[in-house]
Amino acid sequence: MIRVQSDDFDIGAEIAALTAGKTHIGGVVSFTGLVRDFAGDAAVSTMTLEHYPGMTERMLADIEAEAHQRWPLDASLIVHRYGPLKPGDNIVLVITASAHRQAAFEAAEFLVDWLKTKAPFWKREAGPGGDRWVEAKAVDDTAAARWHK
Amino acid sequence: MKVLYFAWLRERVGTGEEDVAPPAGVTTVAALIDWLSARSAGHAHAFEQRDVIRAAVNQDFADPDSPVTPGDEVAFFPPVTGG
C-alpha cells in the first residue's frame, strides 16, 4: 500500500494495521525519515515538500510492486508526507514484512533508496539564512544504482 | 498540451501549469523546451540549465528524445529530492 498525505503518521498503528491477521509474518522492518534541523552548516527551521500529484502515487506503487517481485514480502507500506514540516517531524515511512528478516531488511533498504531517486518530491529548506531548494545528492544515485542487477 | 512545472522551474516560469499549443514541428521533449524557452524571460531562465532539468510525459520519466503529442501532459522539474 502507498499513501501520500500532509498529515502525520503513527508508526505503531501503521505496523499493527499492516500485520493484523497475517500470522505467517516473522519479521517487520520499518524506516522513518525525519526532518533534520541542519543542512551542512546552516540551520533549518522549516522544510516544505512539493510533489507531483498523480505521478507520485504511480511511481510509489511501481516501486512497491518491484519490491514484491524481488522479495517474498507478505505486506508493505510506503507513506510520504508533503507540505510544510518542522525539524523532528516525520517525512516518510517504509514498512516491509516477511516470513524471514532478510527479505524485510533488503526490501526496506531498496524502497528507501529508490524513492529518493524516483519519487517526484522536492524539498525546500528555510532557515535564518533564507530559503533554498535542496539539491539531489550523487550519493543517493549511487545507493539506488547498486540495486540494478 | 498541458505543461506542468515544479520546484524552482515553477518559480522561474511564474506558474505551475499552462495549456500550450506548440506548432506541428515540436515533436520531442527537447523541441518543446526550445519552444517554451522563447515564450518569456521567465521560461528562458527556467530552462537555461538544460542538463539538470528532468521531464515526464504522461507521468512517466522521459528523455530529451521522447515524443510529445498535442494531448500529452508534460512536466518539467529539477532532480527529485524526496525520501
Side-chain angles (χ1 to χ4, degrees):
Chain A
M1 291 190 298
I2 64 110
R3 293 207 314 269
V4 182
Q5 62 190 43
S6 59
D7 290 343
D8 196 12
F9 49 78
D10 178 325
I11 301 160
E14 298 291 356
I15 291 175
L18 194 66
T19 58
K22 300 183 184 122
T23 48
H24 46 283
I25 291 172
V28 176
V29 169
S30 78
F31 170 85
T32 308
L34 308 176
V35 179
R36 277 187 294 264
D37 68 358
F38 71 95
D41 296 331
V44 173
S45 55
T46 304
M47 172 182 280
T48 303
L49 277 129
E50 177 174 334
H51 77 112
Y52 181 175
M55 183 173 174
T56 305
E57 288 83 353
R58 281 184 60 172
M59 293 307 299
L60 293 182
D62 284 354
I63 294 165
E64 184 183 49
E66 174 144 4
H68 280 258
Q69 283 179 0
R70 289 190 177 211
W71 289 278
L73 301 178
D74 293 302
S76 62
L77 175 69
I78 304 171
V79 182
H80 207 304
R81 296 181 69 191
Y82 62 87
L85 302 172
K86 297 289 184 188
D89 282 354
N90 295 319
I91 304 173
V92 62
L93 173 65
V94 170
I95 302 172
T96 52
S98 185
H100 301 286
R101 72 181 183 282
Q102 188 181 5
F105 274 124
E106 288 182 5
E109 206 167 8
F110 165 85
L111 286 170
V112 175
D113 285 345
W114 272 51
L115 69 83
K116 275 191 169 285
T117 57
K118 299 274 189 193
F121 284 92
W122 301 276
K123 290 172 178 157
R124 186 174 176 80
E125 292 171 339
D131 287 20
R132 66 173 195 106
W133 289 99
V134 175
E135 287 186 21
K137 293 178 188 158
V139 65
D140 289 334
D141 288 332
T142 306
R146 71 199 162 105
W147 298 104
H148 288 294
K149 291 179 194 169
Chain B
M1 182 184 296
K2 185 158 87 169
V3 179
L4 305 177
Y5 305 99
F6 293 96
W8 51 258
L9 274 100
R10 171 179 51 73
E11 292 177 341
R12 291 180 182 184
V13 170
T15 183
E17 179 177 341
E18 59 183 346
D19 285 309
V20 298
V26 174
T27 57
T28 65
V29 168
L32 180 60
I33 290 176
D34 288 338
W35 183 77
L36 289 168
S37 295
R39 279 171 69 84
S40 76
H43 287 78
H45 183 39
F47 288 114
E48 67 189 8
Q49 292 176 272
R50 293 282 182 103
D51 52 334
V52 301
I53 293 167
R54 302 292 182 263
V57 176
N58 298 324
Q59 304 187 355
D60 281 321
F61 283 108
D63 297 319
D65 297 337
S66 297
V68 294
T69 55
D72 286 344
E73 175 179 301
V74 184
F76 295 102
F77 43 80
V80 302
T81 54

